Amino acid sequence: MKAGIVGLPNVGKSTLFNCLSNAKAQSANFPFCTIEPNIGVVNVPDARLQKLEELVNPERVLPATVDIVDIAGLVKGASKGEGLGNQFLGNIRETDAILHVLRCFDNDNIVHVDGSVDPIRDKETIDMELQLKDLEAVDKKLEKVKKASRTGNKDAQKEEAVLVAIKTGLESGISVRAIEISEDDRTEFVKPLQFITDKPVLYVCNVDEDAAVSGNAYVEKVKENVAVENAEVIVLAVGTEADITELETYEERQMFLEDLGLEEPGSAKLIRGAYKLLNLETYFTAGEKEVRAWTIPVGATAPQAAGVIHTDFEKGFIRAEVIGYNDYATYGSEAKVKEAGKMRVEGKEYIVKDGDVMHFRFNV
């Protein structure tokens, strides 16, 4: 599962990517510096993992991860191949969610591709390019569906009505995710087409250091503008975050954060936001050898969760021994949880809850 960082050139995408992944994507003060998408595997910060480490004292600890892709800056006309448009749009299509970086700071030393700072205009520029690309896709699909629809095929007629609603929405500047379509129709007709503007989005307002805690007027405009999309907005001082990652020790980083009035780096919130955006959650395994966070889609069953460790675990699944994270933290060890009668045995139908500590029994 991948989240792609998008935005206009020079809004702080590659700097943000570097913060998140500690990979050093090239970052320069001109457009098209990032051409090939950089992919970073990023650890998901989770206080529960640290607590389990304290209680179990394992040989090693492995956090959950999420893939972040740094996609080059889009420009006006990208949908028609301007800049390196088609390549960029192809890269976005391959991601599962979008982190849309908006410039919400003034700085005469950093050139804005359109000559002035206006995050709403920037957002609309990108939205329009993505919508135009989706419009191309819906037109192609409609051509095929209309032929089947004319023969009296009921399914094709139903699909045609959904596609026409999407086409009308896109032509009015509405992204697919914000068009009113029933869940069943969305699952059957919309999801398979992988529209770019149907991907979940998190808006990242890149501010200067002074606005890191409470945002600024630009941020308020963004929040107002995206309210109809039911999208989340995160405020991040990307340049400051970059400075924090350069510090050598944890203590130095904490002192820096305290001076800013922050409890944790904004990048940690962003990574958790991306994880949630991708509809992912975590379960844990805890033993002397290792404490590990495993990533599963929300709604996964116990055998599916076991299959993340090894396909044999899923094939030969017998049962899962499950401890809720809060019970593990409260009682302090697996043995004490068992004594208190708080360990549960669950079968194939069990839907895993975020934070479950699990042990699988299987037979191959």
Side-chain angles (χ1 to χ4, degrees):
M1 299 289 274
K2 289 188 271 195
I5 302 176
V6 305
L8 291 179
N10 295 350
V11 295
K13 295 182 315 303
S14 294
T15 308
L16 174 60
F17 175 81
N18 291 340
C19 287
L20 296 179
S21 65
N22 289 330
K24 297 295 175 194
Q26 195 182 0
S27 176
N29 190 12
F30 54 89
F32 311 127
C33 171
T34 314
I35 296 172
E36 291 301 323
N38 294 290
I39 299 179
V41 180
V42 181
N43 292 340
V44 179
D46 195 327
R48 297 172 301 182
L49 195 64
Q50 291 162 307
K51 181 68 177 172
L52 288 171
E53 181 184 6
E54 283 169 30
L55 296 173
V56 179
N57 194 22
E59 288 174 22
R60 64 178 187 163
V61 178
L62 292 168
T65 61
V66 63
D67 286 1
I68 304 286
V69 188
D70 176 26
I71 293 165
L74 283 178
V75 292
K76 275 182 191 151
S79 57
K80 295 182 176 65
E82 289 295 321
L84 295 166
N86 290 327
Q87 190 178 339
F88 299 168
L89 289 159
N91 293 334
I92 295 170
R93 199 179 289 289
E94 287 166 21
T95 64
D96 304 285
I98 292 172
L99 306 175
H100 187 158
V101 182
L102 295 167
R103 177 170 168 174
C104 294
F105 66 90
D106 295 303
N107 184 334
D108 294 339
N109 296 322
I110 299 175
V111 181
H112 190 291
V113 74
D114 286 330
S116 62
V117 177
D118 182 345
I120 306 306
R121 178 201 59 210
D122 295 355
K123 174 188 174 300
E124 285 167 357
T125 297
I126 291 218
D127 283 350
M128 191 171 75
E129 294 305 325
L130 302 185
Q131 287 159 4
L132 285 168
K133 204 67 187 167
D134 280 349
L135 202 50
E136 265 180 41
V138 85
D139 281 339
K140 272 186 199 163
K141 184 69 178 173
L142 257 173
E143 264 179 55
K144 292 178 187 170
V145 172
K146 276 179 176 171
K147 285 176 188 168
S149 179
R150 282 196 288 270
T151 66
N153 181 315
K154 290 275 189 287
D155 286 342
Q157 287 169 351
K158 199 175 170 189
E159 184 171 10
E160 184 184 0
V162 173
L163 294 174
V164 167
I166 289 172
K167 180 177 167 69
T168 306
L170 287 167
E171 285 173 342
S172 306
I174 302 168
S175 292
V176 175
R177 74 180 80 85
I179 297 169
E180 279 189 34
I181 301 165
S182 76
E183 274 310 305
D184 289 349
D185 286 349
R186 211 170 256 285
T187 304
E188 191 175 351
F189 303 123
V190 183
K191 292 291 177 199
L193 296 175
Q194 290 185 300
F195 290 114
I196 299 173
T197 66
D198 192 35
K199 295 179 192 294
V201 65
L202 175 68
Y203 292 99
V204 182
C205 291
N206 182 12
V207 299
D208 53 26
E209 192 173 300
D210 295 341
V213 177
S214 49
N216 58 23
Y218 291 132
V219 173
E220 292 313 309
K221 281 183 185 171
V222 171
K223 285 181 177 173
E224 210 175 289
N225 184 270
V226 307
V228 290
E229 292 184 46
N230 194 23
E232 202 177 329
V233 176
I234 279 186
V235 178
L236 209 61
V238 174
T240 306
E241 295 280 331
D243 293 341
I244 292 170
T245 58
E246 294 297 323
L247 296 171
E248 293 292 320
T249 67
Y250 173 78
E251 287 74 21
E252 283 178 308
R253 290 194 288 272
Q254 286 307 109
M255 278 169 64
F256 196 137
L257 289 168
E258 278 169 28
D259 287 346
L260 291 174
L262 296 170
E263 286 177 16
E264 65 174 353
S267 54
K269 281 184 195 158
L270 177 59
I271 295 164
R272 285 197 297 271
Y275 196 68
K276 192 175 157 192
L277 200 64
L278 291 164
N279 206 29
L280 300 174
E281 62 185 12
T282 301
Y283 78 86
F284 301 101
T285 50
E288 287 176 9
K289 286 268 183 229
E290 73 172 25
V291 164
R292 182 163 182 167
W294 299 89
T295 300
I296 51 170
V298 171
T301 61
Q304 287 167 336
V308 173
I309 299 176
H310 199 289
T311 49
D312 285 351
F313 283 28
E314 184 171 1
K315 284 179 199 158
F317 179 89
I318 300 170
R319 65 177 184 273
E321 292 165 1
V322 183
I323 302 168
Y325 168 76
N326 289 338
D327 287 333
Y328 207 114
T330 302
Y331 292 97
S333 72
E334 192 177 305
K336 285 178 182 166
V337 170
K338 280 181 184 169
E339 273 173 39
K342 294 288 184 181
M343 180 185 272
R344 307 186 311 279
V345 175
E346 302 286 1
K348 289 183 176 180
E349 306 303 313
Y350 177 67
I351 304 293
V352 179
K353 293 181 181 66
D354 187 54
D356 278 349
V357 182
M358 305 184 78
H359 183 69
F360 297 106
R361 300 286 178 193
F362 69 102
N363 183 22
V364 177

